[in-house]
Amino acid sequence: MAEQAYEPFPDIPRRNLMQETLEVPALIHLLHLPHGGRILEVGCGRGVALPPMAKLLAPERLAGLDIDPELIETASERMQERGVAVGLYVADVRDMPFADHSFDTVIDFGTCHHISNPEQALREVVRVLKPGGLFVAETVTSQLLSHPFRSKGQRLPWQAAPELSTYKNRLLWKARTRA
Ligand SMILES: C[S@@+](CC[C@H](N)C(=O)[O-])C[C@H]1O[C@@H](n2cnc3c(N)ncnc32)[C@H](O)[C@@H]1O
C-alpha cells in the first residue's frame, strides 16, 4: 500500500488562542500533569502550546519537535517574542534525535494520529520516555470533534507500544504511563 502523505493543518488564529488559553491549561489541570521535569511536544508545529506549558508546568527542560522547518522557524520567533526557553528540533517523531529515557512527559496534539507508520512513532515515544514517564495524547473523541472526516476510523495502534498503559482518561485527552 502507498504511504499516505501528511496533509498540513491550517494556521487559524482563533484556534491558536483557544489552544493557548483554554486547551493546554485544561489538559494540565484535568490530567494533573507533573510540574518540573523534562517535557517534549512532538509535532509542536508553530509552537502555540509551548508558552502555556512553560508557564504552568515550569519544566526543567522543554523541547518541541516538528518535521516542518518553516513551522519550527515560526515557533522559534514565537518563543523569542514570549521570552520562553525551548529547545526546538526539526525531526521526525518516528526517528527522534534524543537519547533513551530523555523525557518525563511527551505530549502529542494529534500528530501520531495523522502520519503513516504511527506504530514507529509510538515505539520512539516509548524509547525517549523514562520508565514511569507519561505520554499524553488526544483521545478519539477529541480527534472526531476537531477533524470529523479526517479522523474517521483512526485509532492509535497502542498494541505497538505495550509498555504504555492507561493512567488517566479525561474525555478529550488521555495519559499513559510508560512501564
Ligand atoms: C495536528 S498538527 C499539531 C500542531 C500543533 N501541535 C497544534 O496543536 O496546533 C501536527 C503537526 O505534526 C507535524 N508532523 C507531521 N508529520 C510529522 C512527523 N513525522 N514527525 C514530526 N512532526 C510531524 C506537522 O508539521 C504539524 O505541525
Side-chain angles (χ1 to χ4, degrees):
M1 198 164 73
E3 235 192 39
Q4 188 192 348
Y6 177 82
E7 289 173 45
F9 286 83
D11 189 13
I12 305 171
R14 199 176 45 160
R15 186 199 175 265
N16 294 347
L17 185 66
M18 295 222 346
Q19 187 180 27
E20 179 165 1
T21 57
L22 293 175
E23 185 181 3
V24 174
L27 175 153
I28 289 171
H29 178 72
L30 289 172
L31 293 176
H32 293 112
L33 292 190
H35 287 229
R38 301 158 299 169
I39 300 175
L40 166 67
E41 184 192 357
V42 293
C44 68
R46 301 172 183 90
V48 174
L50 293 167
M53 283 184 213
K55 184 175 165 196
L56 298 172
L57 293 173
E60 81 190 40
R61 176 185 182 190
L62 181 59
L65 167 150
D66 202 283
I67 203 163
D68 185 331
E70 282 183 24
L71 295 183
I72 285 292
E73 184 56 39
T74 305
S76 175
E77 286 162 12
R78 185 186 300 274
M79 298 314 127
Q80 278 170 27
E81 279 166 20
R82 305 292 181 90
V84 177
V86 179
L88 292 170
Y89 301 82
V90 177
D92 191 324
V93 64
R94 295 163 295 194
D95 183 17
M96 292 195 267
F98 306 118
D100 297 356
H101 309 164
S102 296
F103 293 97
D104 301 287
T105 306
V106 174
I107 302 183
D108 173 16
F109 290 100
T111 298
C112 295
H113 273 275
H114 295 284
I115 57 175
S116 61
N117 199 356
E119 292 83 2
Q120 179 57 24
L122 291 185
R123 297 299 316 148
E124 273 292 271
V125 167
V126 167
R127 185 184 67 73
V128 304
L129 266 178
K130 73 163 194 192
L134 289 179
F135 176 50
V136 175
E138 292 181 337
T139 60
V140 172
T141 309
S142 167
Q143 282 293 310
L144 280 172
L145 285 173
S146 16
H147 315 292
F149 298 107
R150 194 165 163 170
S151 308
K152 204 159 175 242
Q154 281 187 358
R155 300 278 182 282
L156 281 178
W158 295 112
Q159 70 282 358
E163 299 89 343
L164 297 174
S165 55
T166 300
Y167 163 66
K168 278 184 183 148
N169 194 326
R170 294 292 180 269
L171 188 64
L172 298 180
W173 308 285
K174 59 177 167 279
R176 290 196 173 216
T177 313
R178 186 217 192 279

